[in-house]
Structures are given as C-alpha cells and as structure tokens.
C-alpha cells in the first residue's frame, strides 16, 4: 500500500478556503522555516481513500472473533461511547472549581462505590491509567504500610510463575525484590513452595487469579492465610475479574489490595496502548496511603480530599476519566443480575469452546474445566507435523479470525491461550470451532505448508523482533 507521501503530486490541493482577509502577523526571522515543510500534496479524496484502506487492514472486535487470551477483547456496547461523548463530560477542564463539576465528581464517587462492592474492598483510587500502573500503585501502598509501621526489613514480593508478566516488573519498579515460586502440576500455587518462601522479609504476595492458565486457585484461602501469618500483605491482580465479577470477591478471599482493568472487564475498547484505567482498591487500613486526591461526599456535595498519608500522585489529575464514565454506564446497564451473568457467560463460553477443541484433537495444557480462558499445548502437534502454535495462529488469520495469545504463559510450551468472552454467541463459537478443526486437519496433512501462512492477509510474517526493537515510525524521503 502506498504512503501519503508516495501519493503526493506537486500542487495538488484539498482546501477550498477563500483568501484570508486578516493581515499576516509576521513571525521573527529566526522562527521562520528556511524551506517549506515536505508535506504530501493531495486532494481530499486521496486522503479519504488512504485512511479507508488503512481502516480495512486493521482488525477489531467489531470485525469478528478476537479470542486474545488474558486481554478480554469483548464487545463494548455503543451506549457507553455515547455517554462518554456527552459534552458535559468532554468539555470540562481538570482545574475547574469543584462546585462546577459536581456531576463528574459524582461519577467518580459512584463508580468507586460500585467497584468497591464488586471487589469487596473499602476504598479505591481511579488514578492509575493501566493495569500495570495499578499494580505499581498497589505495591506503593504495601510499601508505605510497612514503612509506616517502622518495618523496613520487608523487601520481598512473592510472585508465582503463573502470574502475568507485569507482576514481577511492577514489583521491581516499586523497589522490591521478586521471589518466584513454582506452580504445581495443575497450574496452581505450590503451597509447600509458598510456605518455604515466606518469612520476616516478605512484604507481600501478588496473585493473578484466575491465573494465566485460566484456573481459579482452589487453595486461595490457604494462600492468603500463609502470607498474612508471615506478616505480608496480599495483592490480587484483578485484570481477569471478568471470570468472577458478581460471583466472588477478592476482599472476601483475604486480599488487602487489588487492581482492575476497566479497559478489559468494564468495557472500554483497548489495544494499541490506551487510554485505559487500572483502579486500585484496598482495605480500610491501607486507605490512608491512597494516591491523592480521592472524592468524598459531604453536606455540600462532592469534594476532593487528600488521604492522610498519601503516596502522592501516580498520574496527572484524576486518571482517564472518560474510561470511568464508560465503566459506570456498563455497570449500571448490566446491574446486579447482569454483572454475574456476564461472568457466567464468559466461563461457559470458554468451557464450551475448550471442550469442542479438545474433541477435535487439540491438546489442553491442563485437564478439567477452566474459568474464562484456557491454554492449549501444541508441543505434540509440532513434533508430529512441524506445525507449531505460531503456524496455527498464522493460518487462523486466513479464515478471518484473530489468533489467540501465543507463547504465553511461559510455563506452557507451544501455548495458545484462548479467551472467547461472554459476548460471543454459540453460533460464532461453533463456526470458530469448525475453523480450528480445518486448520488442525491442514497441519496434519501438510505441516510444512503452514510455515508460509498466512496466505491472504496484506502482511504475511513480519520480522517481529525487528518490528519491536527497531520500528520504522518515520517516513524518510
Ligand atoms: C492485561 C493484564 C495486566 C496488565 O494490564 P495493562 O493495562 O496492559 O497494563 C496485568 N495482569 C493481568 C492478569 C492482565 O491480564
């Protein structure tokens, strides 16, 4: 596809504005360009066609099935977009006096309240702009708590190897040392490993639950008990709350602190880097450390307030506010019945698809039922046919569906991680199962052929390492 610069024709123009009647205000000489900027010269139709072509080459939830495991790529109801676009929300300034933005403060206050109820927490901040940012914020609370008690020996955060990769990274960024503990053969926390890891230097544990292999840890109460008995705090990575919301509350499982991903579970479109929102909830005893400000309600209405021993700010102003508006719209439109029904649908859909793919001959990494996602282990397929998880994923593109997450989690070899979400119908899941079946047959018939897949997409196999490490983001004449 040609770039705008390559379509440029000298002298071609789109604007039809009349000559300006205002006299030019001359800029100082040293602020002037020495030569005109090398901008592409195009007619409006060239620009329209360029962006339309680009739009057709992208793929989103509104195009089709998007089972990117760990990302919860569910459909986002358009009513949320309409509400987030209301001028009363988009036209305000973050430095406006509180009494002129009471409605928006109410949105923050109400969303906070509802999310506290859903998670079983007592207080919350909506400031973090992403899940990993929430982890970092939660860990700052844990650090502040230990310091506040004068305990400076607790420098270690325990992270099971089935955690999301952001967990150890956030712990290091917050100044902790990471202690990795292994999973057992069912993909859950190894209790003996945990008992051996805790001690007087334990600041806390970070647990992704359901974990990255889609399993709800059956020993969760024992896990939080072991950590608490050692004097540590328990952090719940709630990015996967889609599996449990309205059904079970991390606060009731013994967790002191949690983050959510509004841009996964609470229906904000995501991908491509934002905007997102990673609220952090905590129990009462940690509320004094929350980032400032939080919104409180008093006799005059809503107001900002700084928590007593706040860790400060983790982001400018109040976070990505319009993502919060979408979340509130989503929670209120689903209601008390709809929230657990969505979680049940997510788990049902994942189990249905897992069973269908297992019946077709795909190997599952862990036996038994799953929560909202499941992981396949294609090591045997690769051995027998030379077609790896990569080949299966690439070939799926030719059939018009987005591939699952590949080669994650790291504890499974040749992993494909599938998260269908609750917004897919049985008909779609059946069609998808058929496509997976076809691709498996193709792999078995001629595995080598699939090394060339995809055959029908605009780009086949980009050099992924170079694309990530040395991206070419600038056009050079
Ligand atoms: C997505 C995810 C994160 C990170 O969220 P970001 O918004 O991408 O920073 C953390 N933990 C889990 C389990 C996740 O699935």
């Amino acid at each position: 596809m040609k770039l705008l610069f390559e379509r440029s024709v000298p002298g071609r123009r789109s604007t039809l504005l009349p000559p300006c009647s205002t006299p030019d205000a001359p800029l100082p000489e040293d602020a002037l360009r020495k030569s005109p900027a090398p901008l592409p010269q195009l007619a409006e139709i060239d620009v329209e066609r360029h962006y339309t072509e680009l739009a057709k080459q992208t793929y989103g939830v509104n195009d089709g099935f998007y089972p990117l495991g760990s990302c919860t790529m569910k459909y986002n109801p358009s009513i949320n977009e309409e509400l987030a676009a209301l001028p009363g929300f988009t036209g305000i300034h973050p430095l406006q006096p509180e009494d002129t933005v009471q409605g928006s403060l109410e949105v923050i206050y109400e969303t906070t309240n509802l999310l506290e109820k859903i998670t079983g927490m007592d207080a919350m901040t909506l400031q973090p702009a992403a899940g990993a940012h929430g982890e970092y914020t939660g860990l700052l609370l844990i650090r502040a708590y230990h310091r506040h008690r004068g305990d400076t020996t607790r420098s270690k955060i325990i992270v099971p190897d089935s955690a999301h990769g952001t967990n150890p990274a956030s712990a290091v960024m917050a100044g902790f040392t990471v202690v990795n503990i292994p999973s057992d053969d069912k993909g859950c926390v190894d209790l003996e490993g945990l008992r051996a890891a805790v001690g007087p230097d334990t600041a806390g544990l970070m647990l992704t639950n359901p974990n990255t292999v889609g399993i709800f840890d059956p020993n969760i109460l024992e896990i939080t008990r072991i950590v608490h008995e050692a004097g540590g705090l328990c952090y719940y990575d709630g990015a996967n709350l889609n599996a449990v919301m309205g059904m079970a509350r991390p606060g009731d499982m013994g967790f002191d602190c949690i983050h959510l991903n509004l841009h996964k579970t609470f229906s904000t479109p995501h991908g491509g880097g934002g905007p997102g929102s990673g609220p952090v909830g905590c129990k009462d005893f940690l509320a004094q450390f929350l980032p400032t400000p939080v919104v409180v309600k008093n006799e005059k209405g809503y107001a900002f307030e700084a928590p007593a021993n706040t860790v400060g700010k983790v982001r400018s102003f109040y976070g990505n506010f319009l993502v919060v508006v979408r979340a509130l719209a989503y929670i209120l439109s689903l209601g008390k019945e709809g929230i657990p029904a969505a979680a049940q649908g997510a788990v049902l859909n994942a189990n249905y698809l897992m069973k269908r793919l297992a019946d077709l001959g795909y190997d599952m990494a862990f036996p038994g039922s799953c929560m909202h996602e499941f992981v396949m282990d294609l090591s045997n397929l690769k051995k027998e046919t030379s077609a790896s998880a990569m080949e299966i994923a690439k070939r799926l593109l030719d059939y018009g569906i987005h591939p699952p997450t590949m080669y994650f989690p790291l504890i499974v070899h040749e992993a494909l991680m599938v998260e269908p979400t609750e917004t897919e119908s049985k008909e779609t899941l059946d069609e998808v199962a058929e496509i997976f079946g076809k691709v498996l047959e193709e792999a078995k018939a001629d595995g080598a052929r699939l090394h060339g897949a995809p055959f029908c997409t605009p780009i086949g196999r980009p050099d992924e390492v170079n694309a990530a490490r040395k991206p070419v983001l600038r056009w050079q004449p």
Side-chain angles (χ1 to χ4, degrees), residues 311-349:
V311 295
K313 270 188 174 296
V314 295
R315 194 182 179 278
S316 54
F317 303 114
Y318 322 109
N320 281 324
F321 174 66
L322 295 177
V323 177
V324 175
V325 175
R326 289 180 178 92
L328 182 61
Y330 181 72
I331 295 169
L332 291 180
S333 52
L334 259 66
K336 219 167 156 181
E337 297 76 30
I339 294 277
Q344 287 167 357
V347 173
L348 180 63
N349 275 1

Side-chain angles (χ1 to χ4, degrees), residues 85-141:
L86 287 177
F89 292 134
T90 58
I92 53 174
H93 191 280
L95 294 177
Q96 262 177 253
E98 287 163 15
D99 61 345
T100 66
V101 286
Q102 285 291 303
S104 293
L105 295 193
E106 185 176 355
V107 166
I108 292 178
Y109 186 84
E110 283 304 322
T111 309
T112 303
N113 262 345
L114 290 165
L115 291 176
E116 283 165 15
K117 285 207 181 94
I118 291 171
T119 55
M121 293 290 157
D122 303 317
M124 188 167 275
T125 173
L126 303 179
Q127 222 176 79
H133 196 191
E135 293 168 23
Y136 173 74
T137 306
L139 289 162
L140 290 188
L141 302 185

Side-chain angles (χ1 to χ4, degrees), residues 257-272:
C257 193
I258 179 178
H259 86 264
L260 305 173
N261 276 41
L262 297 189
H263 49 290
K264 288 177 182 170
T265 314
F266 295 96
S267 176
T268 273
H270 60 294

Side-chain angles (χ1 to χ4, degrees), residues 168-184:
S170 302
V172 169
M173 280 195 65
F176 292 106
T177 311
V178 174
V179 180
N180 243 300
I181 54 166
S183 302
D184 62 16

Side-chain angles (χ1 to χ4, degrees), residues 187-207:
C188 298
V189 172
D190 178 51
L191 290 181
E192 284 320 306
L194 177 61
R195 281 195 191 99
V198 295
D201 57 358
T202 302
L205 162 94
M206 291 180 91
L207 194 74

